[in-house]
Amino acid sequence: MTPPSSTSDDTTSGLLAQLTTDEKIALLSGAGYWRTVGYPERGIAAFTLNDGPHGVRAVSADDHLGASNAATAVCFPTASALSCSWDTSLARAHGSALAAAARLADVDVVLGPAMNIKRTPLGGRNFEYFSEDPCLTGRLAAAVVSGVESGGVGASLKHFAVNNQEYDRFTISAEVDERALREIYLRGFEIAVTEGRPATVMSAYNAVNGVPCSENHRLLTGILREEWGFDGLVVSDWGAVQDRVTALRAGLDLEMPASQGLGAAAIGAALKSGELSEEDVDRAAARVVELAARFAREDRPEPVTTSEAELADIARTIAQQSIVLLRNERGTLPLKRTTAVALIGEFAENPRFQGGGSSNVQVASFTTARKEISRFLPSDQVLHARGCEGEEIDEALLDEAVEVAAQADVALLFVGLTEMTESEGFDRETLSLPASHLALIDRVSAVTPRTVVVLHKGSAVDIASWHDKADAILDLNLGGQEVAAAALDVIFGDVNPSGRTSETVPLRLEDTPAHLDYPGGLRRAHYRESIWVGYRYYDRRKMPVAYPFGHGLSYTDFAYADPRAVVHDDESVTVEVAVRNVGERDGFEVVQVYVHDDVSSVARPERELRGFSKIWIAAGESVTARIELDRRDFAFWDEHRDRWTIESGAFTIEIGSSSRDIRARVGVDLAGDAPTAEIIDRHTPVRYFLGDPEFAAVIEQFVSSYPMFGGDFDSLPPLARRIVTETINGMPLEKLRLVSGGAFSEDAIASAIARLTSLR
């Protein structure tokens, strides 16, 4: 969002000056469910906000969820699918297409993208979220926002912040330590805010460390505005505000939807009592007026297209580039066009392409595998069986599927999670596919020469229990209304698959980092796993997984060579690597750059994604991938100093095709900020002062002569010497004054602190 100029500030002040206090207060709450209050006769227009992140639902002002009377619109792939593209250019195109769809529906603000971290695969709304990793999440969300805003429409980043489960989502408090908060749960938002510059940010239903997000001054003002420089409007999630006065003071500008006058009455009463000032009201009202003026401008940017057919084409391209080929044994895919194919599963003719809840889009049409396969095979080479209906096993349908599969060269099994399994409003109870889908995989794979499992789901599922029964596994996620056409484009080789997993696929639910603490209780969810989320956890523990973060196969192969890293004066780093397509087909490769801190004073992950690049390489050709890293990419959140810190020393930059497929490494040395993360004070352990030669000499003299050691430290047995050394080294500096018999005075301790502090 473009920062307001002094001229726009003057215009806003002039418009506000026309309004009474009550009229300004009215601006701070919705006029209905989707529209703001406006005073068009005085030059203040109302504007419309609406879902969603994967397609626009234009509804009437009094419609709540919008499913009853929504106009049809194009349904794009969900964030869980888009994230598997690892393509910021594609994400920007997605945002531009959303803006075009919004303009067609007279919507001014699209409520998305949603960008919370996938803490647990059970999260019911995971299909709306990008990834378990904040770098991938933030870069893609920033690109979506940029695309939306370029089309003259506002984006609304949500749900700020730490909104990782649907269970008790209105009342739960996410109890999370500061380091995890900064490195995992806020980092993606920070990237999207500072790089994408959204018009609005939406506060979440939940609380963070006991403070509701809509009333959280530290989140909405201290971090979002003062640290990150956000200059837009903060809007509540629908119905999230509990205390309107506290929320306004915290930095929440617009309460949605209309609160039947309750919010306005509370603000008015607080003004009279002095709890709020007129300045508090004017500040929030100005942001509403500024955003309304932006949408009323005559030079509002035009959208990229006004054709729904073109938007559907974009949705198909996004789906194609987001499909992940997880497994492909014996070169099963792509299929030859002489193959007899059995299409099996209810998703073959009624695909699940979106999640349930507020993001649900009413579509005019959608593609199906049963229809689309006619582009590749004549009807006499295609057999079909429904196989199941719903989640319970139907023996008659199952028997029919087995009979059909036995007649084919290959079975395409379209399975996944049903709409009753994952949705906004509730979390999943298991990683397993429905019993009817598991039975299909088991029975069909036993009678057909080759089995291809085509997955429709919004988050990780249990693959391990049936993995070896499938010759190929194609993960579609929830790929929007064109996903069936895109899937067959990949299956028959018109498109070379290039998607990569955006979350780790675990072997068991019990292996997941948050398993012991999800979903919490007594209105608290304790994030005891801290920063160890997703691959950070699995890689640190060297734990086997079904498929690692960043994994995905292609119909060609790539070789990496000549890694280079150049450190610049500001300690940003340019990483380059030559990637050669050594196969016979053109295709995309996703180059992933991870950072490992070789020596750290705090526990850090084995590797952390810090950059990526999706590059097109023709068969036999070589392309140099270039990824820029900034200083923050080498930092951790220092809880002692309450800031980002880069420790001086060596870092290894790992370049690969997944978090567990590292193809090249290169080292860099950074000067950093400080040699250690410790606070230097009277309680700092002695070992942190031993780098000071003067202090170390006194310590050595003290240890060798102290009566407790008989005045002859060197004569002690080896174990005793080690115990003494470790005891002294770990002793707080303050303690030396008490045990040294005067060897360390108050002045000596103060001098040691001053010297070590000066070295920093």
Side-chain angles (χ1 to χ4, degrees):
M1 182 178 177
T2 303
S5 65
S6 58
T7 303
S8 66
D9 288 343
D10 293 342
T11 302
T12 299
S13 298
L15 291 172
L16 288 178
Q18 304 176 54
L19 305 181
T20 67
T21 297
D22 286 344
E23 287 172 329
K24 287 187 287 188
I25 291 172
L27 289 172
L28 309 185
S29 178
Y33 213 76
W34 303 111
R35 196 156 175 81
T36 63
V37 171
Y39 302 105
E41 70 282 359
R42 283 178 258 183
I44 300 174
F47 58 89
T48 299
L49 310 92
N50 219 309
D51 292 306
H54 315 128
V56 177
R57 295 187 305 111
V59 296
S60 65
D62 59 353
D63 184 66
H64 287 201
L65 288 179
S68 61
N69 65 353
T72 60
V74 173
C75 180
F76 298 92
T78 63
S80 67
L82 174 63
S83 63
C84 294
S85 75
W86 289 63
D87 189 333
T88 54
S89 296
L90 197 67
R92 195 180 194 283
H94 172 90
S96 297
L98 280 176
R103 297 291 289 273
L104 286 171
D106 291 325
V107 169
D108 300 301
V109 177
V110 172
L111 300 178
M115 53 176 302
N116 295 100
I117 292 296
K118 295 186 180 185
R119 178 189 179 224
T120 167
L122 297 182
R125 213 164 177 175
N126 277 0
F127 63 87
E128 279 195 54
Y129 299 151
F130 289 96
S131 175
E132 66 190 28
D133 180 80
C135 173
L136 183 60
T137 292
R139 300 276 185 249
L140 292 175
V144 171
V145 168
S146 178
V148 170
E149 302 276 339
S150 71
V153 173
S156 187
L157 291 180
K158 63 181 187 181
H159 309 86
F160 192 62
V162 203
N163 181 242
N164 311 111
Q165 63 187 62
E166 293 298 279
Y167 178 84
D168 282 353
R169 63 174 171 162
F170 298 108
T171 58
I172 202 76
S173 174
E175 302 293 306
V176 56
D177 66 82
E178 187 67 14
R179 186 176 172 200
L181 183 67
R182 294 290 190 153
E183 292 187 19
I184 304 298
Y185 297 102
L186 294 185
R187 179 58 178 147
F189 279 102
E190 181 182 9
I191 294 169
V193 165
T194 57
E195 295 183 9
R197 301 188 65 79
T200 79
V201 169
M202 180 192 293
S203 65
Y205 287 125
N206 57 283
V208 174
N209 294 329
V211 183
C213 289
S214 292
E215 302 166 16
N216 199 313
H217 185 275
R218 180 168 183 256
L219 278 179
L220 302 185
T221 297
I223 294 175
L224 180 61
R225 293 195 185 279
E226 295 174 359
E227 289 188 28
W228 300 347
F230 176 66
D231 60 1
L233 178 143
V234 175
V235 60
S236 73
D237 203 342
W238 266 233
V241 174
Q242 302 173 39
D243 184 328
R244 185 63 184 103
V245 174
T246 301
L248 182 59
R249 282 204 310 266
L252 187 134
D253 305 307
L254 176 62
E255 176 187 18
M256 289 297 291
S259 59
Q260 311 307 317
L262 296 177
I267 292 172
L271 278 175
K272 290 179 181 177
S273 70
E275 188 178 359
L276 287 175
S277 68
E278 194 84 21
E279 182 182 351
D280 294 322
V281 173
D282 286 351
R283 182 174 56 248
R287 291 170 184 150
V288 176
V289 170
E290 287 166 2
L291 192 55
R294 176 184 166 193
F295 300 133
R297 284 168 41 192
E298 292 184 3
D299 60 345
R300 186 177 181 182
E302 290 300 317
V304 292
T305 179
T306 56
S307 163
E308 288 200 2
E310 289 181 285
L311 294 177
D313 286 341
I314 295 171
R316 180 169 173 174
T317 298
I318 296 169
Q320 290 170 340
Q321 300 303 319
S322 302
I323 291 172
V324 183
L325 181 58
L326 292 173
R327 175 177 170 88
N328 193 24
E329 298 299 299
R330 300 187 291 163
T332 296
L333 296 180
L335 294 183
K336 295 182 174 60
R337 305 196 185 199
T338 57
T339 304
V341 173
L343 290 179
I344 297 175
E346 57 183 326
F347 289 166
E349 56 184 341
N350 188 25
R352 182 162 178 263
F353 54 82
Q354 64 177 324
S358 61
S359 68
N360 192 269
V361 179
Q362 291 284 99
V363 299
S365 64
F366 57 87
T367 61
T368 72
R370 192 170 183 187
K371 291 182 179 179
E372 290 293 323
I373 201 169
S374 63
R375 292 191 287 119
F376 303 96
L377 298 177
S379 59
D380 60 357
Q381 287 178 228
V382 180
L383 304 96
H384 172 260
R386 189 168 178 80
C388 61
E389 189 168 353
E391 300 192 357
E392 299 301 319
I393 297 173
D394 184 315
E395 289 294 344
L397 292 176
L398 187 55
D399 288 343
E400 179 191 11
V402 171
E403 181 180 349
V404 165
Q407 303 173 49
D409 299 316
V410 61
L412 299 180
L413 287 177
F414 292 80
V415 298
L417 299 179
T418 70
E419 63 182 9
M420 295 302 294
T421 302
E422 58 176 351
S423 172
E424 178 182 354
F426 58 87
D427 288 336
R428 292 162 58 194
E429 297 178 358
T430 175
L431 287 186
S432 295
L433 297 178
S436 58
H437 293 208
L438 290 173
L440 269 181
I441 296 172
D442 183 52
R443 295 279 295 277
V444 167
S445 63
V447 300
T448 190
R450 299 202 180 192
T451 303
V452 177
V453 173
V454 184
L455 285 172
H456 303 68
K457 85 289 184 292
S459 190
V461 297
D462 170 31
I463 286 176
S465 62
W466 49 264
H467 177 272
D468 293 344
K469 298 174 184 177
D471 296 282
I473 304 172
L474 204 63
D475 184 359
L476 310 185
N477 268 281
L478 299 179
Q481 69 180 56
E482 301 296 314
V483 69
L488 288 177
D489 291 337
V490 170
I491 288 170
F492 283 94
D494 280 5
V495 171
N496 191 349
S498 61
R500 303 291 185 267
T501 56
S502 57
E503 62 178 318
T504 305
V505 183
L507 289 173
R508 307 180 306 155
L509 178 61
E510 291 81 2
D511 291 342
T512 57
H515 180 64
L516 295 180
D517 291 303
Y518 164 83
L522 301 177
R523 300 183 182 177
R524 294 281 191 277
H526 292 279
Y527 286 45
R528 291 187 178 92
E529 72 280 2
S530 186
I531 66 168
W532 309 106
V533 177
Y535 70 91
R536 288 167 167 80
Y537 173 79
Y538 300 110
D539 289 357
R540 178 76 173 188
R541 293 197 62 192
K542 295 180 171 52
M543 179 182 289
V545 297
Y547 287 105
F549 176 77
H551 168 78
L553 303 178
S554 170
Y555 294 152
T556 190
D557 295 299
F558 301 95
Y560 289 53
D562 194 22
R564 300 177 296 279
V566 177
V567 181
H568 305 290
D569 290 343
D570 62 353
E571 292 193 303
S572 62
V573 178
T574 299
V575 180
E576 293 183 344
V577 65
V579 183
R580 186 173 183 81
N581 184 338
V582 296
E584 298 179 353
R585 294 197 49 162
D586 302 345
F588 284 105
E589 171 66 332
V590 177
V591 178
Q592 303 165 36
V593 173
Y594 297 86
V595 169
H596 170 80
D597 190 348
D598 293 0
V599 180
S600 176
S601 64
V602 298
R604 298 192 68 173
E606 288 298 301
R607 58 190 56 87
E608 297 178 272
L609 182 73
R610 293 305 193 223
F612 54 92
S613 177
K614 190 168 189 176
I615 52 177
W616 176 261
I617 310 176
E621 298 295 319
S622 181
V623 172
T624 296
R626 181 177 293 105
I627 294 96
E628 301 291 343
L629 306 182
D630 62 27
R631 294 185 83 254
R632 278 282 297 278
D633 291 322
F634 298 89
F636 66 91
W637 183 261
D638 185 336
E639 292 183 292
H640 294 304
R641 293 186 177 83
D642 201 33
R643 72 181 191 201
W644 293 99
T645 293
I646 304 171
E647 291 186 312
S648 60
F651 293 81
T652 299
I653 295 174
E654 301 181 327
I655 310 167
S657 195
S658 84
S659 73
R660 293 196 174 178
D661 185 7
I662 303 302
R663 307 285 185 87
R665 290 178 172 86
V666 61
V668 295
D669 288 296
L670 301 180
D673 300 318
T676 175
E678 281 290 334
I679 293 175
I680 303 304
D681 62 13
R682 304 173 65 85
H683 303 290
T684 302
V686 166
R687 66 175 174 271
Y688 289 98
F689 294 86
L690 297 180
D692 175 11
E694 181 179 338
F695 181 84
V698 177
I699 283 286
E700 184 177 1
Q701 182 180 5
F702 161 60
V703 171
S704 63
S705 62
Y706 193 57
M708 180 184 296
F709 312 135
D712 188 6
F713 174 78
D714 291 338
S715 68
L716 295 175
L719 177 59
R721 289 201 304 273
R722 180 169 185 181
I723 291 173
V724 169
T725 300
E726 296 296 340
T727 299
I728 296 296
N729 288 350
M731 187 178 292
L733 192 61
E734 164 72 16
K735 188 70 68 176
L736 284 179
R737 187 174 60 85
L738 304 177
V739 303
S740 67
F744 291 93
S745 65
E746 185 72 30
D747 288 344
I749 288 174
S751 177
I753 291 173
R755 282 198 304 276
L756 188 56
T757 302
S758 69
L759 294 176
R760 294 170 169 271

